[in-house]
Amino acid sequence: MRPLLDLTKEYGLVLDGGGARGAYQIGAWKALKEAGVKIAAVAGTSVGALNGALICMDDLEKAEKIWSEMEFSRVMSVDDEWMRQFFQGEQKLGDILSELRRILREGGVDVGPLRRLIRENVDEDRIRNCGKEFCIVTFSLTDFKELKLSISDIPEGKLEDFLLASAYLPGFRNEPMEDGRRYIDGGFVDNVPADVLAERGYTDLIEIRIYGPGREPGVKLPEDGEIYRIGPRVRLGSIIEFDRERSRQNLKIGYYDAKRMLYGLEGIIYYIGQEHTESWYECRMRDLTGMEKRALAIVLKLPVSATDKELYMGMLEASAKIMRVPKYCIYTVDELRREVRERYERLADFETMAELPDFTDQFIKIERDRIMDLKGRNFLTLKDFTPEEITYLIDLAADVKEKKKQGIPVDHWRGKNVALIFEKDSTRTRCSFEVAAHDMGMGTTYLGPTGSQMGKKESIEDTARVLGRMYDGIEYRGFGQEIVEELAKYAGVPVWNGLTNEYHPTQMLADMLTIRENFGKLKGLKLVYMGDARYNMGNSLMIACSKLGLHFVACTTEEYFPNAELVAQCEEYAKESGATITLTSDVKAGTKNADVIYTDVWVSMGEPDEVWEKRIKELSPYKVTKDVMANANKDAIFLHCLPAFHDLKTKIGKEMGERFGIEDMEVTDEVFESAQSKVFDEAENRMHTIKAVMMATLGMEQA
């Protein structure tokens, strides 16, 4: 996932007071730190000042250790067990009153342990030399004056005193400093010191809120300034509940709440990455009447005017909570609904199921009604499939990939057999189909370029009718799309396109899965295809992108642009998904801010040798180089469906190198072997996505 924040900027961090809830701030800082957010200044009040000191020291491990080992007695001179019993409601009223009287007689709660905690863990020199501006807020009772102090305003060796001064809550034993002044918690005058940083010229602020009691003065930022807020949606406990279990929980909540802000996650209870459009939700909710939707909104405590998306997400989250799906994890919508469905199906006890709320049963019914039924379908081109169906196949591929990684068998198709027709040789497609079929428990028959009489002594129609009576599915890899279309017309069993001149749909699923694995989403990404965009790869990528909401760019000369009729068709798909289609010969403009740079061989299988010279001459400006990748986004990835001419280690590569004086063609070896290159992840994913296609079209009820 990519953070929504501009990571080239430096931010001011604002930490409010809230006592024992402070663990939340350290959890949030951890997420900011992991995302690469640069912090230029920190301003804190009370516990926010203490946490700010730890953040300026840049010692996450120490900060986490302090809070994960937190006890009442590390802050106050109290008995831990007595305090735990108090918060659990186990102390008698008489004992509580007696303890309060004792504390009052002694002048308040002794916070000597807090001073020791600060002394042992806060390195003043390190903070002064950290390169960040550090500010705290306190209030002088002696002078009746608010103090907004930068580290440079605090005398050397006195940071410990002022950190304690910022945190003196009422009820704490308030000892005067050496100068005779007494101070109280800065929250009384400014518990959210965003103004402290704004006054010092910081315009982009991040607030980590724990909502302790205190005054919250307003803050004015310039028009180009912005405040980003991280705050809890659940109770963090009392401000004096210094309990390690509570603190560990708050660390976790802060971490995920920060991720919610950073990555624009949705959800009220859960942390959900959104990958569906409003129309997807409308499709799932279409069978509910207006009255049913209003009743559902009332039960879920949503406005009666709630949208289909809001209703569905409300049902999903509430059902997930009932099914005890772990909260502190980032899910996609599809992952969370799959988890709910699986847990529901495991409920065998009728009484337990009877206790479920109506909306959970309603949710499961919606899900069951919308499960994709692709049994018996041919897989010839992605033009034949809806965005939802394509996404379903990608999801299924991700699922079977995880099962293979965990060693979970999916061999429920024993007894079935598939024919693999290869009029063009292949490494990845053949191996992917064979391994996928064997994993599923199926037998395979490979029919190579000379392995059948199809199209020679026997018509395609007759071959299809023969194979369809012997096999449960047929794969074809060869030449014109009309061949695989005719096979599909007469076979009577699912036919799968392993590649034709026009389309390569199984490759598309692998590509989309690879992209989603790297970015956590597909919609809104920019994919640039460089080279010859007239044939199967350019065509298929344009179709896949336009259906799934990716911005597609064909970057090549006008001669190599995709077919105008297909472009127009894809532009119609794009209107529905929010994608765009761009054709350009300008490499600089075309690859600017790209997320994916894609290319393929310049001379396709079956093309004559004489085209090599022409292609090399005309397409060399569109070679994927280090400069091309540098012009894309910094986290852009490189994809290639393989084989690739990136060096001279092949027979043809060596021959072309000697003939034309080149060391590579469509991509440099530097890019191909770089960390940005995901070509072998992509190659592996061919097998998982092909397995998903066969599973879905042969019938998932077998699983």
Side-chain angles (χ1 to χ4, degrees):
M1 291 185 293
R2 188 183 304 164
L4 300 180
L5 293 184
D6 185 350
L7 298 184
T8 64
K9 289 185 177 181
E10 291 188 328
Y11 295 86
L13 188 64
V14 181
L15 307 172
D16 62 341
R21 302 169 188 171
Y24 180 94
Q25 295 173 335
I26 297 301
W29 171 48
K30 179 180 181 179
L32 295 174
K33 189 175 174 68
E34 287 178 354
V37 177
K38 300 182 186 73
I39 305 298
V42 183
T45 299
S46 192
V47 75
L50 302 177
N51 281 332
L54 297 172
I55 291 170
C56 287
M57 289 166 57
D58 198 30
D59 193 338
L60 176 61
E61 186 177 348
K62 174 176 281 191
E64 285 188 302
K65 188 173 188 294
I66 289 170
W67 281 105
S68 62
E69 296 177 354
M70 185 57 68
E71 294 282 3
F72 297 94
S73 59
R74 299 192 74 192
V75 178
M76 305 170 285
S77 291
V78 294
D79 181 78
D80 287 321
E81 186 57 31
W82 193 96
M83 293 296 293
R84 271 191 286 271
Q85 289 176 2
F86 172 76
F87 278 100
Q88 291 168 7
E90 297 174 3
Q91 288 290 351
K92 296 178 181 177
L93 179 60
D95 293 337
I96 296 170
L97 293 173
S98 176
E99 184 65 15
L100 286 173
R101 284 194 292 269
R102 182 190 67 78
I103 291 170
L104 289 171
R105 284 197 305 272
E106 294 176 359
V109 178
D110 179 11
V111 289
L114 177 58
R115 180 179 286 279
R116 287 193 295 276
L117 184 70
I118 295 170
R119 185 173 297 157
E120 291 168 2
N121 292 284
V122 174
D123 186 333
E124 182 173 335
D125 290 339
R126 190 169 172 181
I127 294 169
R128 290 185 181 278
N129 296 306
C130 71
K132 297 180 180 68
E133 189 164 7
F134 178 45
C135 304
I136 68 171
V137 179
T138 185
F139 187 85
S140 171
L141 286 172
T142 307
D143 304 321
F144 214 71
K145 182 180 177 183
E146 178 184 3
L147 298 175
K148 300 177 181 178
L149 304 173
S150 175
I151 187 69
S152 58
D153 302 320
I154 298 172
E156 295 270 352
K158 296 297 181 182
L159 179 60
E160 173 190 316
D161 291 332
F162 278 94
L163 288 175
L164 197 61
S166 183
Y168 271 133
L169 287 169
F172 285 180
R173 192 180 301 169
N174 195 322
E175 304 288 348
M177 283 196 197
E178 288 181 6
D179 60 5
R181 290 183 171 85
R182 294 181 187 271
Y183 299 85
I184 61 168
D185 193 299
F188 283 94
V189 288
D190 192 351
N191 199 46
V192 190
D195 58 321
V196 175
L197 293 184
E199 290 166 4
R200 287 167 168 76
Y202 296 96
T203 57
D204 294 287
L205 307 179
I206 301 171
E207 290 182 357
I208 306 178
R209 298 299 311 275
I210 52 179
Y211 299 107
R215 181 171 175 265
E216 299 184 15
V219 58
K220 286 188 178 180
L221 293 176
E223 286 187 6
D224 60 344
E226 192 162 357
I227 296 178
Y228 303 89
R229 291 184 177 88
I230 302 166
R233 299 181 180 182
V234 296
R235 292 176 60 85
L236 300 179
S238 165
I239 63 171
I240 60 168
E241 193 176 354
F242 292 98
D243 175 76
R244 69 174 62 190
E245 294 305 319
R246 171 71 78 171
S247 292
R248 289 169 183 173
Q249 180 74 353
N250 288 345
L251 280 167
K252 190 185 297 182
I253 297 170
Y255 178 77
Y256 282 99
D257 281 354
K259 284 183 175 287
R260 189 193 301 278
M261 185 277 290
L262 280 166
Y263 304 110
L265 302 177
E266 296 188 14
I268 305 298
I269 304 170
Y270 290 84
Y271 302 87
I272 305 170
Q274 184 58 256
E275 74 268 54
H276 296 303
T277 62
E278 288 284 350
S279 61
W280 186 89
Y281 293 98
E282 289 166 3
C283 178
R284 301 193 92 71
M285 302 291 286
R286 67 190 177 198
D287 294 335
L288 271 64
T289 65
M291 186 175 293
E292 287 173 326
K293 289 179 181 180
R294 286 191 291 274
L296 183 59
I298 292 168
V299 172
L300 294 172
K301 298 180 180 178
L302 295 171
V304 291
S305 59
T307 64
D308 286 342
K309 177 184 174 181
E310 290 167 337
L311 290 170
Y312 183 89
M313 292 293 288
M315 281 195 294
L316 174 60
E317 287 200 85
S319 298
K321 184 179 180 182
I322 290 164
M323 296 294 169
R324 298 185 179 179
V325 177
K327 284 195 291 188
Y328 298 108
C329 179
I330 296 174
Y331 300 92
T332 64
V333 173
D334 290 339
E335 287 168 344
L336 188 56
R337 65 191 181 90
R338 186 162 54 244
E339 187 69 29
V340 171
R341 286 201 313 267
E342 289 175 358
R343 288 175 179 247
Y344 183 92
E345 301 299 344
R346 291 200 294 267
L347 291 176
D349 187 278
F350 178 78
E351 289 185 4
T352 301
M353 296 188 73
E355 292 171 359
L356 294 173
D358 290 342
F359 65 75
T360 296
D361 291 327
Q362 197 168 30
F363 175 79
I364 295 299
K365 183 179 183 304
I366 289 171
E367 287 297 292
R368 285 172 173 170
D369 290 347
R370 298 292 176 269
I371 288 176
M372 299 295 175
D373 184 7
L374 304 182
K375 185 178 181 180
R377 293 271 296 275
N378 299 307
F379 190 75
L380 309 181
T381 168
L382 290 187
K383 291 196 293 183
D384 299 336
F385 290 80
T386 67
E388 290 77 21
E389 289 170 336
I390 298 168
T391 301
Y392 168 74
L393 289 170
I394 297 169
D395 290 343
L396 181 57
D399 183 59
V400 297
K401 181 177 183 177
E402 184 61 26
K403 283 186 169 71
K404 188 171 180 73
K405 193 182 297 181
Q406 295 179 11
I408 301 171
V410 292
D411 54 349
H412 312 291
W413 287 263
R414 291 188 188 93
K416 291 188 178 291
N417 293 278
V418 295
L420 308 176
I421 303 173
F422 280 77
E423 292 191 314
K424 290 181 180 180
D425 289 328
S426 168
T427 300
R428 276 149 299 281
T429 303
R430 177 180 176 179
C431 294
S432 293
F433 268 101
E434 289 197 344
V435 174
H438 295 163
D439 280 358
M440 293 167 65
M442 298 193 297
T444 60
T445 300
Y446 175 74
L447 300 171
T450 60
S452 81
Q453 298 294 339
M454 188 178 76
K456 305 181 194 92
K457 294 182 178 180
E458 187 171 54
S459 68
I460 296 168
E461 177 183 345
D462 290 354
T463 302
R465 290 185 289 183
V466 168
L467 295 180
R469 290 178 177 237
M470 296 181 182
Y471 294 93
D472 300 283
I474 301 168
E475 179 273 347
Y476 172 82
R477 181 183 177 93
F479 297 95
Q481 181 73 7
E482 68 277 3
I483 299 173
V484 75
E485 298 279 356
E486 191 165 2
L487 276 171
K489 183 177 179 181
Y490 294 103
V493 296
V495 173
W496 310 301
N497 182 359
L499 175 142
T500 61
N501 294 340
E502 293 86 355
Y503 303 114
H504 200 355
T506 59
Q507 181 68 53
M508 294 305 100
L509 296 182
D511 295 341
M512 295 301 122
L513 176 59
T514 308
I515 294 167
R516 198 174 75 175
E517 287 174 339
N518 279 273
F519 295 97
K521 64 175 185 178
L522 293 172
K523 193 175 179 65
L525 297 177
K526 178 180 177 179
L527 183 148
V528 181
Y529 181 78
M530 303 186 70
D532 191 346
R534 298 172 298 174
Y535 300 118
N536 45 44
M537 286 307 300
N539 291 346
S540 297
L541 282 166
M542 184 167 61
I543 295 166
C545 289
S546 63
K547 288 215 169 198
L548 297 178
L550 291 85
H551 303 299
F552 174 81
V553 179
C555 188
T556 185
T557 65
E558 192 170 341
E559 181 184 349
Y560 297 98
F561 283 171
N563 173 275
E565 184 179 347
L566 183 61
V567 171
Q569 191 173 7
C570 288
E571 285 175 339
E572 290 302 309
Y573 299 150
K575 289 178 183 177
E576 295 294 320
S577 71
T580 55
I581 308 292
T582 303
L583 310 180
T584 182
S585 57
D586 188 329
V587 174
K588 198 79 173 175
T591 60
K592 184 69 175 175
N593 297 325
D595 299 292
V596 183
I597 301 291
Y598 204 122
T599 192
D600 190 13
V601 294
W602 289 344
V603 179
S604 299
M605 289 181 289
E607 292 191 282
D609 286 350
E610 40 277 26
V611 306
W612 281 101
E613 184 174 5
K614 174 177 166 60
R615 297 283 169 79
I616 290 170
K617 180 181 178 181
E618 294 176 347
L619 293 178
S620 287
Y622 302 96
K623 179 193 298 185
V624 182
T625 64
K626 184 180 177 182
D627 288 340
V628 168
M629 297 305 297
N631 192 50
N633 285 329
K634 67 180 181 65
D635 54 354
I637 62 172
F638 169 74
L639 296 181
H640 193 306
C641 60
L642 303 181
F645 291 130
H646 60 99
D647 55 28
L648 304 180
K649 295 178 182 178
T650 64
K651 181 181 178 181
I652 295 177
K654 185 178 180 182
E655 181 186 330
M656 295 302 132
E658 290 173 353
R659 188 189 300 184
F660 301 109
I662 57 177
E663 294 182 355
D664 48 46
M665 276 184 262
E666 69 272 12
V667 58
T668 64
D669 193 60
E670 181 181 26
V671 171
F672 187 88
E673 297 292 352
S674 71
Q676 290 177 286
S677 175
K678 306 299 177 183
V679 296
F680 297 110
D681 293 343
E682 181 186 9
E684 177 196 339
N685 284 340
R686 289 293 309 285
M687 186 260 291
H688 304 301
T689 48
I690 282 170
K691 189 184 294 181
V693 169
M694 291 196 293
M695 283 179 168
T697 55
L698 291 175
M700 289 297 296
E701 74 273 6
Q702 296 215 32

